[in-house]
């Protein structure tokens, strides 16, 4: 069973930064498609950023230019660098993994496409 373990969440003021990490138990995330999703209280879980085979990336419009997704294959770790955080970024952040990456640019943000999920890490941004 795949395990994804997130860390790095916390509380910051608006304009601050955080870096989330997600360690995967799979043999190598370099052959996986990974993504970050988030869920605020009372809202549906939505896509934040995705990365295919450690190279191609895409972002939700709301975070483009502020967040950066990356991975370290040697550490089997996925990252999300979040800069200029705003109160609307407050949510629980989840990393997710899938092996099938067909039509990735059209499917990376689809929640149901991911079979493996972490337990989530809370990010709280105060104004």
């Amino acid at each position: 069973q795949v395990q994804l373990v997130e860390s790095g969440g916390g509380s910051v003021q608006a304009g601050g930064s955080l870096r989330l990490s997600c360690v995967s138990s799979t043999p190598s995330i370099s052959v996986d498609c990974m993504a970050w999703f988030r869920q605020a209280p009372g809202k549906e879980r939505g896509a934040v950023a995705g990365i295919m085979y450690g190279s191609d990336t895409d972002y939700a419009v709301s975070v483009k230019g502020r967040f950066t997704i990356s991975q370290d294959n040697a550490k089997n770790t996925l990252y999300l660098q979040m800069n200029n955080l705003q109160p609307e970024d407050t949510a629980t952040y989840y990393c997710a993994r899938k092996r099938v990456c067909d039509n990735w640019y059209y499917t990376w943000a689809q929640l149901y496409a991911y079979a493996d999920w972490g337990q989530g890490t809370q990010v709280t941004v105060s104004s």
Side-chain angles (χ1 to χ4, degrees):
Q1 183 177 355
V2 173
Q3 287 190 322
L4 301 173
V5 180
E6 302 102 333
S7 62
S11 297
V12 297
Q13 290 190 327
S17 298
L18 285 173
R19 188 177 80 157
L20 306 183
S21 299
C22 171
V23 179
S24 174
S25 67
T26 58
S28 175
I29 62 172
S30 65
V31 298
D32 293 332
C33 285
M34 307 291 293
W36 287 97
F37 286 75
R38 67 185 179 186
Q39 186 168 19
K43 296 188 176 181
E44 294 185 351
R45 191 173 299 189
V48 175
I51 186 167
M52 178 175 67
Y53 304 141
S55 56
D56 293 30
T57 60
D58 204 5
Y59 299 88
V61 171
S62 60
V63 306
K64 196 169 290 187
R66 299 188 298 124
F67 291 10
T68 302
I69 188 171
S70 63
Q71 63 187 59
D72 184 332
N73 293 334
K75 296 181 179 179
N76 235 31
T77 301
L78 177 73
Y79 300 103
L80 184 68
Q81 177 66 45
M82 304 185 294
N83 297 328
N84 191 23
L85 283 160
Q86 300 299 316
E88 53 266 33
D89 296 317
T90 295
T92 300
Y93 285 71
Y94 300 89
C95 71
R97 166 195 176 262
K98 63 175 181 173
R99 286 300 310 276
V100 178
C101 303
D102 295 350
N103 299 311
W104 179 79
Y105 274 103
Y106 301 99
T107 63
W108 75 267
Q110 294 173 351
L111 191 73
Y112 65 84
Y114 292 84
D116 303 305
W117 293 84
Q119 82 289 350
T121 186
Q122 178 66 36
V123 172
T124 303
V125 185
S126 58
S127 57

